[in-house]
Amino acid sequence: MALATEGLLASLSALALMIAAWASPVAGGRPADQLQILWGQTQVLNDGNGDQTIELMLDHAMGSAFKSKTSYLFARIDVDIKLIPRNSAGTVTTIYMISEKDWKTHDEIDLEFLGNATGQPYTLHTNIFANGEGGREVQYRLWFDPTQDFHTYSIVWNTDEILILVDGVPIRQFKNHWDAGVPFPVYQPMRLFGCLWNADDWATQGGRVKTDWSQAPFIAYFRNYTASGCAPTAGGSWACDQNPSGSGSSSGWMDRARGGGRLDDDVKQQQQLREVQGKYMIYNYCTDEKRFPNGFPKECGLA
Ligand SMILES: *[C@@H]1O[C@H](CO)[C@@H](O)[C@H](O)[C@H]1NC(C)=O
Ligand SMILES: *[C@@H]1O[C@H](CO)[C@@H](O)[C@H](O)[C@H]1NC(C)=O
């Protein structure tokens, strides 16, 4: 439990710094201001409204990726994504937040869109790593065709919980149960990555359906990236964005950390979460008895 204590102490002092630095906004702006292309064929398109769209491309030679210029310790990230249409089998489009310092104890929050054959549904695969430990897969169908239009995918990460939202609807909640000995990301800053790659050895129908390279290049579009949170400054302290005004629990992030607007206090969002889990969840590690014959991970039994 040394780790638990260390993490908590680090988190408390980070939180104190954050609150001290409350009023200095950091992020805000257009995708190209905050996202940086990492590799592959990508394009930044400007439309008439001054909005920018990033295209990630995949062909036989390589995929492509971007990352946020800033890393955050607690944040809310929203990005609008339009996925590869028609035959996207074998491809995986992802956004994820990850800590970069120590792989053994790394934290990570994943949203992976697993492509499919024409007319077959995408799977949204999510996972959460804390203190180097993952294996917390939950998968969903979407209630719309994610290739027809842009939809907003969000990660809210604060000291109470991690929420994953689709068009403002919470689909997954992972609570901070450090007090019960379940690791939770609290002391390592994470950066956002977006990536498009080939994973036809496993992604689609268990790897049976391969990427059809005659359809390449495959293109996924990302638009309207916004991030607010606490970011390290050059001086070694932290600066936090102000919570979006008039936010309430649906768009705030720090509210929740201050105990003011957790999902547990929001009846409507709790209802939405239950509805999505009932109708659209297709896999949950917490109910996979075959995988855990000797009992489920601890967090599965905690409310
Ligand atoms: C692809 O479609 C098949 C058939 O509808 C479905 O079983 C599968 O879960 C879908 N998604 C993936 C990633 O294979
Ligand atoms: C971009 O995102 C912000 C906040 O998430 C939202 O208010 C705005 O309507 C979005 N803009 C577009 C063009 O979708």
Side-chain angles (χ1 to χ4, degrees), residues 158 160-163 170 173-177 249 256 259-271 273-274 302-303:
N158 60 46
D160 286 318
E161 63 195 357
I162 291 166
L163 293 179
Q173 179 188 33
F174 183 75
K175 290 192 202 174
N176 183 349
H177 284 303
S249 56
R256 295 179 187 279
R262 292 167 305 149
L263 187 71
D264 285 3
D265 303 327
D266 187 324
V267 175
K268 183 169 158 243
Q269 286 213 318
Q270 281 177 57
Q271 227 163 24
L273 177 68
R274 274 196 302 271
L302 297 170

Side-chain angles (χ1 to χ4, degrees), residues 72-105:
Y72 295 94
L73 186 64
F74 309 117
R76 178 188 177 111
I77 304 247
D78 297 271
V79 61
D80 298 350
I81 307 174
K82 189 172 164 188
L83 294 169
I84 300 161
R86 297 179 296 277
N87 187 356
S88 57
T91 71
V92 176
T93 306
T94 63
I95 50 167
Y96 58 99
M97 294 187 78
I98 190 166
S99 65
E100 296 166 290
K101 279 234 166 88
D102 183 353
W103 180 252
K104 280 207 306 283
T105 61

Side-chain angles (χ1 to χ4, degrees), residues 114-116 120-123 141 203-206 282:
L114 313 184
N116 217 332
Q120 301 302 317
Y122 267 84
T123 296
R141 289 267 177 268
T204 304
Q205 301 178 36
I282 56 172

Side-chain angles (χ1 to χ4, degrees), residues 7-299:
L8 273 181
L9 287 178
S11 137
L12 287 179
S13 53
L15 199 61
L17 281 171
M18 251 180 242
I19 287 165
W22 187 249
S24 38
V26 187
R30 302 261 155 71
D33 298 337
Q34 295 175 57
L35 297 176
Q36 175 182 336
I37 302 299
L38 278 179
W39 71 76
Q41 294 183 57
T42 60
Q43 275 198 63
V44 179
L45 310 170
N46 294 294
D47 72 14
N49 304 323
D51 282 326
Q52 287 172 317
T53 302
I54 293 185
E55 272 186 21
L56 290 187
M57 260 183 243
L58 168 70
D59 63 17
H60 211 307
M62 72 191 310
S64 49
F66 61 75
K67 68 174 186 180
S68 62
K69 291 185 180 167
T70 306
S71 53
Y72 295 94
L73 186 64
F74 309 117
R76 178 188 177 111
I77 304 247
D78 297 271
V79 61
D80 298 350
I81 307 174
K82 189 172 164 188
L83 294 169
I84 300 161
R86 297 179 296 277
N87 187 356
S88 57
T91 71
V92 176
T93 306
T94 63
I95 50 167
Y96 58 99
M97 294 187 78
I98 190 166
S99 65
E100 296 166 290
K101 279 234 166 88
D102 183 353
W103 180 252
K104 280 207 306 283
T105 61
H106 87 285
D107 298 326
E108 184 177 329
I109 305 168
D110 293 329
L111 283 77
E112 304 192 338
F113 299 90
L114 313 184
N116 217 332
T118 305
Q120 301 302 317
Y122 267 84
T123 296
L124 171 52
H125 172 98
T126 66
N127 200 359
I128 292 167
F129 286 72
N131 205 27
E133 207 181 293
R136 303 193 173 90
E137 298 88 354
V138 182
Q139 296 184 337
Y140 307 85
R141 289 267 177 268
L142 295 163
W143 50 92
F144 50 81
D145 178 351
T147 72
Q148 282 296 303
D149 213 338
F150 285 92
H151 289 269
T152 306
Y153 302 92
S154 314
I155 297 169
V156 175
W157 167 39
N158 60 46
T159 52
D160 286 318
E161 63 195 357
I162 291 166
L163 293 179
I164 296 174
L165 302 97
V166 176
D167 289 334
V169 173
I171 64 164
R172 181 164 186 184
Q173 179 188 33
F174 183 75
K175 290 192 202 174
N176 183 349
H177 284 303
W178 263 114
D179 53 355
V182 180
F184 184 88
V186 285
Y187 64 98
Q188 307 181 92
M190 291 199 260
R191 195 185 292 277
L192 180 84
F193 288 77
C195 187
L196 171 57
W197 43 295
N198 176 44
D200 68 359
D201 52 333
W202 63 272
T204 304
Q205 301 178 36
R208 286 189 300 281
V209 185
K210 302 296 181 194
T211 305
D212 177 1
W213 292 110
S214 73
Q215 307 294 310
F218 299 99
I219 302 176
Y221 299 90
F222 298 75
R223 186 173 82 181
N224 201 20
Y225 167 77
T226 54
S228 49
C230 295
T233 63
S237 68
W238 293 86
C240 300
D241 292 318
Q242 279 164 321
N243 230 11
S245 57
S247 56
S249 56
S250 59
S251 60
W253 60 280
M254 199 45 128
D255 277 355
R256 295 179 187 279
R258 294 174 143 190
R262 292 167 305 149
L263 187 71
D264 285 3
D265 303 327
D266 187 324
V267 175
K268 183 169 158 243
Q269 286 213 318
Q270 281 177 57
Q271 227 163 24
Q272 289 178 327
L273 177 68
R274 274 196 302 271
E275 199 179 310
V276 169
Q277 288 177 338
K279 281 196 194 157
Y280 302 105
M281 192 166 68
I282 56 172
Y283 177 82
N284 181 359
Y285 74 111
C286 278
T287 57
D288 188 346
E289 286 173 14
K290 272 205 226 114
R291 188 169 155 198
F292 300 106
N294 302 317
F296 292 113
K298 203 184 236 171
E299 67 271 20

